[in-house]
Amino acid sequence: MPLVKISDIDEITKEILGACKVSDSSIDVIIDTINYANRCDIPTHGVGRVPLYVKKIQSGFFNPEDEMETIVDAGAISIIDAKHGFGQVAAKHAVDIAVEKAKKYGISAVGVRNSNNFGTAGYFGYIAAKEGMASLIFANASPAIAPTGGTKTILGTNPLCFAFPGSESNDPIVLDMATTVVARGKVRLAAKNGDKIPLDWAMDAEGKPTDDPNEALKGSLLPIGGYKGYGLSLFVDIFAGLLAGSNYAGDTTVQQLSKMDTYSNNGHFFILIDTNAFMSSEELYNKVDNLYKSVKGCGLEGAVMLPGEPGFVKMHEQTECVTIPQKQIDDVNETAAQLGLSFRLKAEE
């Protein structure tokens, strides 16, 4: 894949979103989440999504302005109405509130309703871990899988994230995963690139295994571990949708960023635990270092990695440039041109 300067991604994202009347403070958060995804080698959640944001804003069903409101503030609990704005901005605000409350009460729970896709869940687990927080993060999505025994897609890829602080010498431990065999973004990317997908990723509209990503998008993705993945997806939907007061179950048909005739109404849910309430930072760091040593010692040197570690290795390597698909470069540049902007992404020599 082509190599692109991170500074160029920042610049074109700022110009495109600025042209759509997004505030500078919101743009800063969005750029940070994009850089996290691209630097961790998750291009499906990086700058390639910017053209989709623009289309959704232009449709009138995505609010570019930061109008979110805290509608419940009760002790360790808060609920935020994102007012159909950027999921990343609402989620970052939710994490900030959750960190503050967890430091006061030891634990906090913050829900977000009427939101949009918030990018990669791992970003929010990562920033919470940097504040000494252990976290559980849930986000629901548009229908992608049918319940075990069913034929109608009703539950989403519904990502969940578990994150735990690192130490002075080791990165945080971040498990960020879809409850399907693969995130739908990877299927969409394969469709854009004209690539085939593995047969164990999805079924077509007739319930048959398919290696055609376009047919997979018309059908359903497969949950991880069969009925266990269905159960996980259901509970993510319960927390992020039902409990947070956003769409869930049968109402999730509108929860799609690419659906241009209605609001997405995604929900998010954040549970943060202040590890300092359990032990000192020094004791925690020692235990985390011991955990790293024990887990990685289960195989040959370099063979075993902790959750999130492969992405953090890439993050530390990719400090100036990242690799992204050519199709994403073309899409972003086309969006910039349509908005009358002169700046373009270009591959480094």
Side-chain angles (χ1 to χ4, degrees):
M1 290 191 290
L3 200 62
V4 178
K5 285 183 179 179
I6 295 172
S7 59
D8 285 352
I9 291 175
D10 293 351
E11 180 64 26
I12 201 164
T13 301
K14 185 173 183 178
E15 289 197 14
I16 288 174
L17 296 182
C20 294
K21 309 303 181 185
V22 181
S23 70
D24 288 343
S25 59
S26 292
I27 290 173
D28 288 343
V29 173
I30 296 161
I31 285 176
D32 206 35
T33 64
I34 284 173
N35 283 340
Y36 177 91
N38 282 330
R39 289 182 62 198
C40 288
D41 204 25
I42 314 172
T44 52
H45 292 66
V47 70
R49 295 210 169 185
V50 171
L52 196 54
Y53 299 146
V54 173
K55 289 178 182 178
K56 190 79 170 183
I57 289 170
Q58 292 173 338
S59 76
F61 291 99
F62 191 120
N63 185 2
E65 298 181 13
D66 177 6
E67 298 179 344
M68 59 188 164
E69 176 186 4
T70 299
I71 56 177
V72 172
D73 184 4
I77 295 171
S78 284
I79 298 177
I80 297 166
D81 188 334
K83 303 286 188 179
H84 309 295
F86 277 92
Q88 299 97 319
V89 177
K92 176 61 166 58
H93 183 58
V95 171
D96 289 344
I97 291 175
V99 167
E100 182 180 347
K101 285 180 176 288
K103 287 181 177 180
K104 181 176 181 180
Y105 297 105
I107 188 169
S108 62
V110 179
V112 178
R113 63 179 61 166
N114 299 324
S115 188
N116 283 285
N117 183 286
F118 67 8
T120 173
Y123 169 82
F124 302 102
Y126 178 77
I127 61 174
K130 289 292 189 179
E131 293 286 342
M133 301 291 155
S135 60
L136 296 82
I137 299 171
F138 310 105
N140 65 359
S142 58
I145 66 172
T148 300
T151 57
K152 178 184 177 182
T153 55
I154 194 172
L155 298 169
T157 56
N158 290 4
L160 57 86
C161 173
F162 296 91
F164 198 82
S167 67
E168 293 179 344
S169 55
N170 285 301
D171 287 306
I173 303 166
V174 180
L175 174 63
D176 176 3
M177 55 176 271
T179 50
T180 47
V181 173
V182 67
R184 183 157 33 198
K186 290 187 177 181
V187 178
R188 290 197 185 101
L189 184 58
K192 279 188 175 183
N193 292 337
D195 297 332
K196 297 289 187 180
I197 61 173
L199 284 170
D200 62 351
W201 278 15
M203 296 184 294
D204 62 20
E206 296 180 356
K208 299 177 181 177
T210 180
D211 61 2
D212 185 337
N214 294 293
E215 294 302 315
L217 292 171
K218 297 175 186 176
S220 62
L221 299 181
L222 294 172
I224 54 172
Y227 70 91
K228 295 181 180 179
Y230 150 57
L232 286 173
S233 182
L234 177 65
F235 266 93
V236 171
D237 206 39
I238 288 171
F239 278 95
L242 187 156
L243 191 57
S246 209
N247 283 357
Y248 67 97
D251 293 329
T252 59
T253 52
V254 301
Q255 286 175 255
Q256 194 165 336
L257 191 61
S258 59
K259 192 174 178 62
M260 298 299 166
D261 58 354
T262 187
Y263 291 110
S264 298
N265 289 327
N266 289 88
H268 322 306
F269 202 85
F270 304 85
I271 300 173
L272 269 58
I273 302 166
D274 185 4
T275 57
N276 288 323
F278 289 83
M279 64 188 74
S280 68
S281 296
E282 182 179 0
E283 182 180 0
L284 181 76
Y285 292 166
N286 289 335
K287 287 179 179 291
V288 168
D289 287 342
N290 184 59
L291 177 66
Y292 260 85
K293 182 179 179 180
S294 297
V295 173
K296 295 174 77 66
C298 290
L300 297 175
E301 185 175 355
V304 179
M305 288 188 157
L306 277 81
E309 189 179 356
F312 294 138
V313 169
K314 296 293 291 187
M315 177 188 284
H316 297 316
E317 292 174 350
Q318 300 189 127
T319 57
E320 296 184 1
C321 295
V322 293
T323 55
I324 59 175
Q326 182 63 49
K327 185 65 170 65
Q328 289 189 357
I329 294 175
D330 295 340
D331 287 348
V332 171
N333 285 342
E334 181 180 348
T335 298
Q338 290 172 350
L339 292 171
L341 304 173
S342 59
F343 195 86
R344 298 289 185 271
L345 290 180
K346 62 180 183 298
E348 291 297 291
E349 297 295 336

